Amino acid sequence: MYITLDVQTNFEINSLSDLPKFKQLMENLKMKINKSQLARKMDVDRRTVDKYLNGFIPKGTKEKTSIIDDYYEVIAALLSEDSKQVFYYRRVLWQYLKDSHGLECGSSTFRRYIAKTPEFAAYFTDQVRIPSPKGTTRFETPPGQQAQFDWKESIPFETSDGEKVEVNVGVLVLGYSRFRVFTLTLRKTQDILFSFLTEA
């Protein structure tokens, strides 16, 4: 007596994680697996194919924590509604944290952290300050302790004669009063900077 079985042998392999099931199917059908052909089609090493066929399961991606997470509360206080301090640039905030709070990371790492933290990113992109919860201690800078300085660099400018030049605007912001002093220069030399700081 013969029995006809309609066995579905189509099997689509979309990733390496499909290989254990594929191996099980091939073993049930008593067919040999061409590991070299699989490796070429999947553009991986033959040993990688062999490893997944034998049930290898990659560990889940562990969510990395940033060293900047330890400074979250400090940053939140600095960017809060209650803070008199205003940070116009991420770089200035990064430098402040390095100088005053011992932050140890590169500026690019810090910028990425700010960009990935919505409440911090909104401060710089939309000028939205972080609401201060009740009981939050105000962050204040004592008089005469601190000022922020930054350049607005290489701003295109056309003179009345039609000449096109690039100018730089230096901005000094006093930490306590928020009083601002500006200077307009064609160059950014140390002499110009020191002279401006002295006059300001």
Side-chain angles (χ1 to χ4, degrees), residues 24 33 65 101 160 174 183 193:
Q24 186 179 11
I33 297 173
T65 57
H101 294 275
S160 56
L174 300 183
T183 186
L193 172 62

Side-chain angles (χ1 to χ4, degrees), residues 183-195:
T183 186
L184 181 69
T185 69
L186 295 175
R187 295 176 298 126
K188 295 185 305 173
T189 65
Q190 192 177 66
D191 290 343
I192 291 174
L193 172 62
F194 286 172
S195 176

Side-chain angles (χ1 to χ4, degrees), residues 90 109-118 120-122:
R90 295 170 180 82
T109 301
F110 184 75
R111 286 197 303 271
R112 282 195 300 273
Y113 179 83
I114 294 296
K116 287 168 59 178
T117 310
F120 296 163

Side-chain angles (χ1 to χ4, degrees), residues 103-132:
L103 175 66
E104 293 182 2
C105 75
S107 62
S108 58
T109 301
F110 184 75
R111 286 197 303 271
R112 282 195 300 273
Y113 179 83
I114 294 296
K116 287 168 59 178
T117 310
E119 59 271 32
F120 296 163
Y123 179 94
F124 293 99
T125 58
D126 304 318
Q127 289 76 53
V128 177
R129 285 190 170 235
I130 298 172
S132 297

Side-chain angles (χ1 to χ4, degrees), residues 13 19 22 33-42 49:
I13 300 174
L19 292 181
F22 177 65
I33 297 173
N34 188 332
K35 297 176 184 178
S36 298
Q37 184 181 16
L38 279 172
R40 284 194 299 273
K41 285 189 174 181
M42 303 189 77
V49 169

